[in-house]
Amino acid sequence: MTGGGKDGRGEARRRARGELEGEVLAALWAAGGPVPASVVQEKVTGAAYTTVLTILTRLCDKGLVTRQRKGRSHVYAPVDDQAGLAAAGMHSLLDEGGDRAEVLARFVSDLSAEDEQLLEQLLHGD
């Protein structure tokens, strides 16, 4: 039986880079409002409370999560929804990518036909 972050062989499964931040953000989005770290920790399988606090602090430092004092502890909430976060990431990559026209051209050339049609509709306001 697997659980507690184990991979079934008695070894802790190592998360991919950024995966834990994504799980913490997903827990915050699912909460639908500001929640204490303990609520987030309950939703993040195999993560220690102190680890979740560290991730929440890093996300606050990055401007992705807000922290407000409530009683003797804090509550946390995401700054943006999942679509907003993805869009911000795309803007950040565009800003760092050098030749914007080249970056956009490559992005568009890799779109599926459905996504290309959707983008076209969005650009033309259809």
Side-chain angles (χ1 to χ4, degrees):
M1 175 160 107
T2 59
K6 302 286 183 182
D7 68 0
R9 297 177 304 210
E11 300 172 14
R13 182 183 77 81
R14 192 148 174 93
R15 287 179 169 90
R17 185 172 183 228
E19 185 178 352
L20 188 53
E21 285 187 359
E23 290 180 34
V24 168
L25 280 169
L28 288 171
W29 289 320
V35 293
S38 59
V39 170
V40 176
Q41 192 255 337
E42 290 171 5
K43 304 291 184 192
V44 180
T45 306
Y49 179 77
T50 54
T51 301
V52 170
L53 277 178
T54 299
I55 297 300
L56 286 166
T57 300
R58 287 181 187 164
L59 291 170
C60 286
D61 291 346
K62 292 179 180 182
L64 300 175
V65 168
T66 61
R67 173 179 45 218
Q68 297 176 327
R69 180 159 296 285
K70 185 170 183 180
R72 292 177 33 184
S73 62
H74 291 92
V75 291
Y76 300 85
V79 171
D80 212 342
D81 61 12
Q82 196 167 8
L85 180 62
M90 291 168 67
H91 281 287
S92 177
L93 289 173
L94 256 181
D95 291 343
E96 298 169 6
D99 183 349
R100 293 175 75 86
E102 178 69 20
V103 172
L104 287 169
R106 287 196 183 184
F107 174 76
V108 171
S109 70
D110 290 337
L111 290 175
S112 68
E114 295 82 17
D115 285 344
E116 190 174 329
Q117 185 177 17
L118 177 60
L119 181 59
E120 205 170 306
Q121 289 172 352
L122 291 169
L123 288 172
H124 296 299
D126 295 344

